[in-house]
Amino acid sequence: MKNYLSKKAQGIVPYVAGEQPKDKKYVKLNTNENPYPPSPKALEAYKNVAFADLRLYPPLSMDKLKSAVAAAEGVSPENVFCGNGSDEILAFCFSSFFDPDGQGAAFADVTYSFYPVFCDFFNIPKVIVPLEEDFSQDLSKLQKTSAQGFVVANPNAPTGMGIERDVMEKFVAESGRIVIADEAYMPFFGQSAVPLTKKYDNLLVCKTFSKGYSLAGLRCGYAVGHPDLISGLERCRDSFNSYPVDSVCQAVCAAAISDGAYYAEKNALVISERERLSKELSRRGFFVLPSRANFVFAKREGIAGREVYEKLRERGVLVRHFQKPRISDFCRITVGSAAENDALLAALDDFLR
Ligand code: PMP
């Protein structure tokens, strides 16, 4: 067949998401989903969506969802952008705030592996700044680059390590350039930079309903920042798709984010399981990075990360392994329910024996 693909479509190397195997039922601890169900209020909203109304396009202005997000975050609706998952919002960020063939987007060497993919897709130079030996991030090293702006995952993925709000504030205040804070895992840390968006017009915070709100299947995320940043994102969005967030999603996410008490309780359980899992892994000889997320990043001297992944998979437990420089010894393990975490530990004990 003649090759009808554009050069871009031929050459692009896409992001690889965690596997979703169908061969058998796994204890699935590989894609950082929340082990608890969405809030009962979200379920109610789901049931109340009028099926017949789905013949109509979704509300263009997303008023109800934006107001609910604004109320939960303590900002105004004009500070809020909603999208089809935070991955989509991040894609819009790369095209809204970074110029092709400009000074580039700066981010860590070990961070969310979608960032370099977006750079390649939009022809944005990558300015890669290594994390410290202990995988902490010295933001002053980003600041020293001549990049057009910065993308910082906080907590970081796949390390799980977090940056305190006052450290982030110092960086945002001094950077003088756009800072995208990717706070996908912030519900498990509680140091969000959202309050800083009132003071700094160069800060955009991206969040998601996938992790802290147990709604990964719906695909919804939001960003908070100065209205000028939001309208830039909207112009990019409207150049792709005016209606990325469907009616069902808008209704369910508005209800979910209004039920903060439910999620505070469930996410506290995730945090306490994270601490237990970290201790149990350490007891089994693993080195575990201090996690502020809903996953832990761990390695054991003398066993390759790939082997840990494979031995667990054989025993019906899925974790994530990245065959990449600096981190190939590690596995990233999502914090599951107490029962799922026990199943992981039992599978580890079985193979370590
Ligand atoms: N940022 C980070 C750091 C992530 O790990 C993820 C999940 N893969 C996302 C953003 C995207 O989340 P979603 O598109 O589900 O909102």
Side-chain angles (χ1 to χ4, degrees), residues 60-71:
L60 189 57
S61 55
M62 305 193 216
D63 285 336
K64 228 175 126 190
L65 176 57
K66 280 191 176 185
S67 300
V69 170

Side-chain angles (χ1 to χ4, degrees), residues 15 85-87 90 112 157 182 184-185 208 210-211 219:
Y15 170 74
S86 61
D87 280 340
L90 288 166
Y112 188 31
D182 177 356
Y185 300 103
T208 178
S210 299
K211 318 292 180 184
R219 309 300 301 124

Side-chain angles (χ1 to χ4, degrees), residues 75-76 78-81 194 197-198 200-201 203-205 223-230:
V75 297
S76 336
E78 62 172 10
N79 298 112
V80 176
F81 176 89
V194 163
T197 59
K198 296 185 182 169
Y200 303 99
D201 61 8
L203 173 65
L204 188 88
V205 179
V224 180
H226 188 278
D228 288 356
L229 304 183
I230 301 302

Side-chain angles (χ1 to χ4, degrees), residues 180-191:
I180 316 285
D182 177 356
E183 296 191 350
Y185 300 103
M186 193 50 83
F188 314 101
F189 185 23
Q191 291 282 318

Side-chain angles (χ1 to χ4, degrees), residues 15 31-32 84-90 111-115 153-157 182-185 206-211 215-216 219-222 295 320 332:
Y15 170 74
T31 46
N32 300 342
N84 187 218
S86 61
D87 280 340
E88 183 192 68
I89 298 175
L90 288 166
T111 189
Y112 188 31
S113 47
F114 226 137
Y115 306 154
N154 187 29
N156 196 11
D182 177 356
E183 296 191 350
Y185 300 103
C206 296
K207 295 197 169 187
T208 178
F209 284 91
S210 299
K211 318 292 180 184
L215 288 168
R219 309 300 301 124
C220 193
Y222 59 92
F295 55 84
R320 188 108 198 244
R332 192 194 69 189

Side-chain angles (χ1 to χ4, degrees), residues 221-258:
Y222 59 92
V224 180
H226 188 278
D228 288 356
L229 304 183
I230 301 302
S231 69
L233 285 170
E234 285 170 351
R235 279 200 300 279
C236 281
R237 175 199 63 204
D238 293 342
S239 308
F240 280 90
N241 177 2
S242 311
Y243 301 101
V245 185
D246 67 62
S247 312
V248 181
C249 187
Q250 289 190 34
V252 175
C253 289
I257 203 166
S258 307

